[in-house]
Amino acid sequence: MPESSTVEPQVLDHECDGIREYDNALPGWWTFLFWACILFSPLYIVYYHIGVGPSIYLELDDEMAAAAEAQLAQLGPMPVDVSTILGVAADPKKLLIGRSMFRTNCSVCHAADGGGNAGPNLCDDTYINIRSPLDFFRVMHDGVVPKGMPAWSPRYNNTQLVVLAGYVASLRGGTPAAPKAAQGDLKPAAWSTFLTPSTSTLEAPK
Amino acid sequence: MSSPATSTRAFTDAPDRPATGVLERFSYDDAIARMFMIATVVWGIVGLLVGVLIAAQLADPRFNLGLEWTSFGRLRPLHTNAVIFAFAGNGVFLAVYYSTQRLLKTRMFSDFLSRLHFWCWQLIIVSAALTLPFGATQGKEYAELEWPIDIAVVFTWVVFAVNLFGTIAKRRERHLYVAIWFYIATVVAIAVLYIFNNLVVPAGWLHSYSIYAGTQDAFMQWWYGHNAVAFFLTTPFLGLMYYFLPKAAERPVFSYRLSIVHFWTIVFLYVWAGPHHLHYTALPAWASTLGMLFSIMLWMPSWGGMINGLLTLRGAWHRVPTDPVLKFFVVAITFYGMSTFEGPLLSVKSVNALSHYTDWTIAHVHAGALGWVGFMIFGMVYWLAPRLFQTPLAKPKWATTHFWIATIGILLYIIAIYWTGLTQGLMWRAFDSQGQLQYPDWLESITPLIPFYWIRVVGGSLYLFGALMCGLNLLLTWNARPKVYEIPVYEAARLNATYREPAIAGSTLPKNSVVEFARTLDVFSQMRWHRKWEGLATLFTVLVAVAIVTASLFEIVPLFLRKGDTVRIDSVTPYTPLELVGRDVYISEGCMNCHSQMIRPLRAEIERYGEYSKPGEFVNDHPFLWGSRRIGPDLARVGRKLPSPNWHVRHFNNPTDTSPGSIMPRYTHLLEKPLDLGELTASLKAMQTLGVEYTNAEIENASITARAQAKLIADIVVVEGGPTGVEERKVVALIAYLMRLGTDISKPTAPIVATPTAAATGGTP
C-alpha cells in the first residue's frame, strides 16, 4: 500500500462475495464541480430564457442582417439591367460571389464548371431559354419548372440573382472538362453586343 | 461452521447471520454464464465485422457490393444493433448472471427462465439480421426492429426481469451490493424506454408507423436513444465494473459513499439529457436547454464511476503491467472518463453547432463503445474464462497482445474520425472573404476525408482482429476444459425475518461548538442511512422507477401539451399516396442514416440548404426523419433545389454520374423493381388512425391517384431525356417524395399534382 497507516481509510464492516468497500469521503474537487455544474443551470436559464440573453433565432437574425449588409456594401447598387449583369464579369469579387452561389446551388445539375449534366451546358453558344443576358435573370428568378429548373426568387433577392446571372453569363466560351452536347436553338449574339445604350432595363420583379 | 463435504464452501463472515440459523446448501448456475459468454464473443465478432464492412463502404462505395441488401443504409442499423444488443447485450447478461448469483448467495430464480431468456435473445438477434438487411425497419436509430420483434424483446425483457427480481427475492444476502443497484436501474429503465419509444401502428407484418410525429417523435426517439446509452451501455457496465474490478484487483472499492451519490444522480439526471441530440432543430428551445444543462450536471456523477473504478486500483497498480484483465479495465475506465467528459462538452449548444451531423459524434460513440463497453467486456471475459471453463486460459499472452492491438485500433479509429469530424464541421461553416460559403460544393467536404476513412478501416480491422484472437483463445481454453465441470456447493443461512438494521451512529462533531443542523448534515453525508434501503429491494426498485419516470415526465408532459411549441402551417398538407410510398422506400433503404432532414437556424446552413426547418413542417411525419449524421447533404428542402426527376433517376442509377466523387451507393434495384402499391391502403389507414388527414375517398382511390402522379413524373423524365417506363418502377415513388420535401412552406397556389379524386371529394391531395 502506498498510503501510510495514518491515512489508510476505514474499510466498512460489510462485504459481498468477498468485495469490501472503503468509507472514503467524496473528493472535494468532485463535490465542488458537481455543485458548480448544478448552480450553472439556474444562471443559464435566468439569463437566456427569462432575462436578456439572445435566443438562437435572434442571434441568427443579427448574423444574417450583418451578412446581407456587408454584401450590399460590397456590391453597391445592382439594378436589373444588362450592363450590371455583364459588369459582373469584370469584377473578380463579384465573380467569386457568383461562383460560390453557383457551386452551392447550380453545379448539382449544371456541373461545377458549367459543362452541364442533368441541366444544359452553360459554356457553349446555344441556349434553350436565353436570348439576352437579361434572360439569365428571368430564368433564375422564375425557373423553368416543367423542365426541372427551380425558381430561385424565394431564396435570393434581386441583387444576388443579378450577380449569379452575371457569373453564368461569364461562363460562355469556357472549356469545361466534360461538356454536354449543345441543347436548344437560340444562338444569341456575343454578350458585348448587348451593351448598347438602347438596351432597356427590365422591370424588376417584386 | 464448515461443512464436512470437501467441495462445500460456507460463508462465515456475514454479520447478520443468526448464530443458530439453519444453513441451506446451493450451487450456482455457471452453464448459463458460459452460454452468454460464447454468445457475447461470437456476436461481438459479427458486429465488428459488419462495422469494418460499412467503414470500408464510406472509403470506397464499391464495398456496397452492388446489392440492395448490403448497402450502407441497410447495414449500418445491423452494425449498431449487433454491437449494442448482441455484443453489449449478451455481455451484460453474462455479467448479471454470473455476479448476481454470487452477490445474492443464491442460484438464479429459475434455470428455465435463464435459458428462455438466452434463446429468445439469440432469436431476436437472428431475426434482426433477417429483417434489417431486407429493409424492414421502423426508421428510428437503435429502435429499427419492427413491431413483432419489439414484442419479442419486451417479452424477453420481462422474462429477464422476473428472473432477476425472483433471484433478489430469494437472496441470502440481505443488502444489495452496488452492482445490483445498477442492474435494477437497467432493467427498469430499459423497459420504460423501449416500450414508449416503440409504440407504433402496424401497416403490415414488417411495416409500421410511429404513433408520434415530427418534433414529438424526435424527442421520444432521443429520450430513448440517449438513455439506451445510459441504461444499456452505462449502468449495467458500471454494475459489471463494481463486481469484476474489485474481484480482479483484489482491492476494496474506493468509496461506498461515492457509489451511492453517483448511482442516484446518474439515475435521476441521465433521463433528462436526451434533447441534447436535437440542439438547433425544430425541438422547442426550452427542451434543448434542459438537455444541455442536465448533461453538464451529469459530468460529475459519471466521473464518480470513473473515480471509484480507478481509485479502487490503488494498491493494485503494480499488477497492471502483468495482468491483461486489469489492463483492459484501466483503459476501459479511462475511456469512460473521456467519453463522459466529452458528452457534456458536445451537449453545449455552441459546441454542438459545430459537431452535430459530423464524424465527431461517431468518434465519441466509438470511444465509448470500443473503449468502455468493449474493453470492459473483454476484461471480464478474460477473467471469467478460466473460472467458467475451469482451466487456465490457453494463451495468456494472446490476451495481452489482444489488448495492445485493440488499443492501437481504437486510437487509429478515433483519431482519424475526430479529424474528419472537425474538418467537415469547419468546412461546412466556413465563409470566404466575400461572405460566401467557402466550400459550397458538398463533395468538397467529402473527398478530403477519404484517406482518414481508410485509417478508420485499419483501426476497426485491428480491433476486429483482437476480438478474433479472443474468440480463438476461448475456443482453445474450452477445448482444455475438464470432462465434467466441478459444481461447488455452498452453504448460507436464509435471511432472518426478524432482522433489524442497526442504529446509525450519531455525528462525531462536538455537540456544543456547532448547530444541530450541522450534526444532522454530518450524519446524512455519512450515508449510513442508505444501508437500510439496500436491504429493502422492493422499495429500492420503486425509488429507481420513480426517479426515472418523474424525470421523464418533466419533459414529456409539457412537450405533448404545449400547443404553442408546434405552430401549425396551413400550407403543410399530408403526403400524396405515391409520396407516402416513396417515404416508405426512403425509410426502408435507410436513407436517413446518411441524410438529415433538418436545416438548423445557422447562417451557414441557410446559405447551403435554404430556409431553416420549422416544427410545423413535420406534423405528418410518422416517424420523423431528421437523421443524426450527414454523410450526404441535408435533404429537408431538396424538393426546392432539385425538381428534376430525371436527375434523380440518373443519380440513383449511378451517383457519380451526376455527382463525380460521390460515395453514395448505386440504387439500380430501385430502377428495376416494380412500383409496389400492395400495402398502400393499409399504410394510409394506419396514418389516418394516427390523425393524418386522409379522407376515406382518398384512401379508396389511392392506387389510382398514385399511378396518376407516377405517370406525370415519368412523363417529365422522358421530356428531360430520361428512360421510359419509370412510372412502373419503385424509384418513381422515392422521386415523388424527394420532390415534395421542403416545398410545402412555399407552396404555390396549387399542388404540383392535382388529382381528380381529391377535387371530387374536396380533400387535400
Side-chain angles (χ1 to χ4, degrees), chain A residues 174-191:
Chain A
T175 48
K180 193 181 180 187
Q183 283 171 286
D185 36 39
L186 300 180
K187 288 195 169 134
W191 298 142

Side-chain angles (χ1 to χ4, degrees), chain B residues 501-507 523-524 526-532:
Chain B
E501 207 67 48
I504 305 167
S507 172
V523 172
F524 176 82
Q526 300 293 321
M527 305 266 168
R528 300 295 165 82
W529 49 269
H530 193 266
R531 194 78 184 141
K532 189 173 180 185

Side-chain angles (χ1 to χ4, degrees), chain B residues 142-457:
Chain B
Y142 329 125
E144 284 94 351
L145 300 179
E146 269 296 355
W147 63 273
I149 308 176
D150 284 340
I151 292 172
V153 170
V154 173
F155 169 77
T156 312
W157 203 257
V158 170
V159 167
F160 174 42
V162 170
N163 209 8
L164 180 67
F165 287 112
T167 311
I168 291 174
K170 62 171 212 168
R171 69 191 187 276
R172 296 187 185 85
E173 181 75 69
R174 176 168 310 277
H175 295 97
L176 303 179
Y177 175 62
V178 49
I180 305 285
W181 314 346
F182 279 106
Y183 298 159
I184 289 175
T186 303
V187 171
V188 172
I190 291 296
V192 174
L193 296 160
Y194 198 87
I195 290 172
F196 286 97
N197 186 45
N198 278 296
L199 293 177
V200 293
V201 172
W205 279 105
L206 289 172
H207 183 201
S208 61
Y209 297 109
S210 170
I211 65 162
Y212 318 104
T215 307
Q216 290 164 354
D217 194 39
F219 173 83
M220 291 305 285
Q221 159 60 24
W222 286 111
W223 167 75
Y224 162 83
H226 184 71
N227 289 301
V229 176
F231 291 97
F232 209 85
L233 303 176
T234 303
T235 55
F237 284 87
L238 286 168
L240 185 166
M241 176 190 87
Y242 274 113
Y243 182 80
F244 291 95
L245 180 71
K247 279 283 181 188
E250 295 167 340
R251 296 287 308 152
V253 172
F254 168 69
S255 171
Y256 167 66
R257 277 184 251 172
L258 186 57
S259 303
I260 296 168
V261 176
H262 99 100
F263 170 78
W264 286 106
T265 46
I266 276 188
V267 165
F268 182 69
L269 297 177
Y270 237 120
V271 182
W272 296 73
H276 70 209
H277 289 256
L278 298 165
H279 283 331
Y280 294 96
T281 66
L283 192 77
W286 62 264
S288 175
T289 292
L290 286 181
M292 167 181 143
L293 295 176
F294 277 84
S295 306
I296 292 170
M297 283 190 261
L298 257 175
W299 176 25
M300 279 303 118
S302 303
W303 271 23
M306 175 188 72
I307 294 168
N308 247 353
L310 290 180
L311 294 190
T312 295
L313 285 164
R314 287 207 296 197
W317 281 104
H318 62 281
R319 287 181 41 218
V320 173
T322 52
D323 186 347
V325 173
L326 290 183
K327 276 198 184 71
F328 274 110
F329 284 163
V330 167
V331 172
I333 296 164
T334 309
F335 270 111
Y336 178 63
M338 277 172 48
S339 304
T340 52
F341 169 70
E342 193 185 18
L345 178 74
L346 291 176
S347 77
V348 173
K349 290 183 190 178
S350 48
V351 179
N352 196 270
L354 171 66
S355 73
H356 196 43
Y357 298 126
T358 75
D359 280 326
W360 192 345
T361 313
I362 318 299
H364 170 60
V365 168
H366 282 82
L370 300 174
W372 163 241
V373 170
F375 271 26
M376 284 312 291
I377 287 180
F378 288 124
M380 169 180 69
V381 164
Y382 284 120
W383 188 82
L384 278 175
R387 288 166 174 82
L388 289 176
F389 291 136
Q390 297 181 2
T391 180
L393 197 63
K395 302 280 180 191
K397 279 187 182 161
W398 285 15
T400 307
T401 314
H402 173 191
F403 167 80
W404 286 112
I405 288 179
T407 304
I408 294 167
I410 299 177
L411 291 177
L412 283 178
Y413 185 113
I414 62 171
I415 291 170
I417 297 305
Y418 278 121
W419 181 260
T420 60
L422 214 54
T423 304
Q424 210 174 25
L426 292 171
M427 286 176 98
W428 289 345
R429 56 157 60 176
F431 285 99
D432 62 18
S433 56
Q434 315 298 314
Q436 297 292 312
L437 289 175
Q438 195 169 353
Y439 304 99
D441 188 342
W442 174 261
L443 286 161
E444 284 179 291
S445 75
I446 293 288
T447 35
L449 313 184
I450 301 298
F452 297 94
Y453 281 171
W454 282 117
I455 296 175
R456 159 158 72 179
V457 174

Side-chain angles (χ1 to χ4, degrees), chain B residues 573-653:
Chain B
T573 52
Y575 297 106
T576 68
L578 186 67
E579 288 158 5
L580 189 65
V581 174
R583 197 169 195 272
D584 288 343
V585 174
Y586 186 96
I587 293 169
S588 164
E589 295 300 336
C591 303
M592 59 285 178
N593 287 300
C594 292
H595 294 280
S596 59
Q597 288 185 21
M598 173 50 61
I599 302 168
R600 296 178 292 174
L602 302 169
R603 183 176 151 229
E605 304 232 332
I606 293 167
E607 293 292 345
R608 191 179 294 277
Y609 302 118
E611 195 173 346
Y612 67 84
S613 302
K614 313 290 188 296
E617 291 185 80
F618 304 99
V619 291
N620 297 315
D621 282 15
H622 299 268
F624 82 114
L625 294 173
W626 296 356
S628 64
R629 170 80 181 93
R630 287 178 185 150
I631 294 167
D634 186 275
L635 299 180
R637 304 228 180 274
V638 72
R640 278 164 72 170
K641 181 169 178 178
L642 269 171
S644 158
N646 191 39
W647 184 92
H648 288 295
V649 169
R650 293 178 55 199
H651 185 244
F652 285 124
N653 181 51

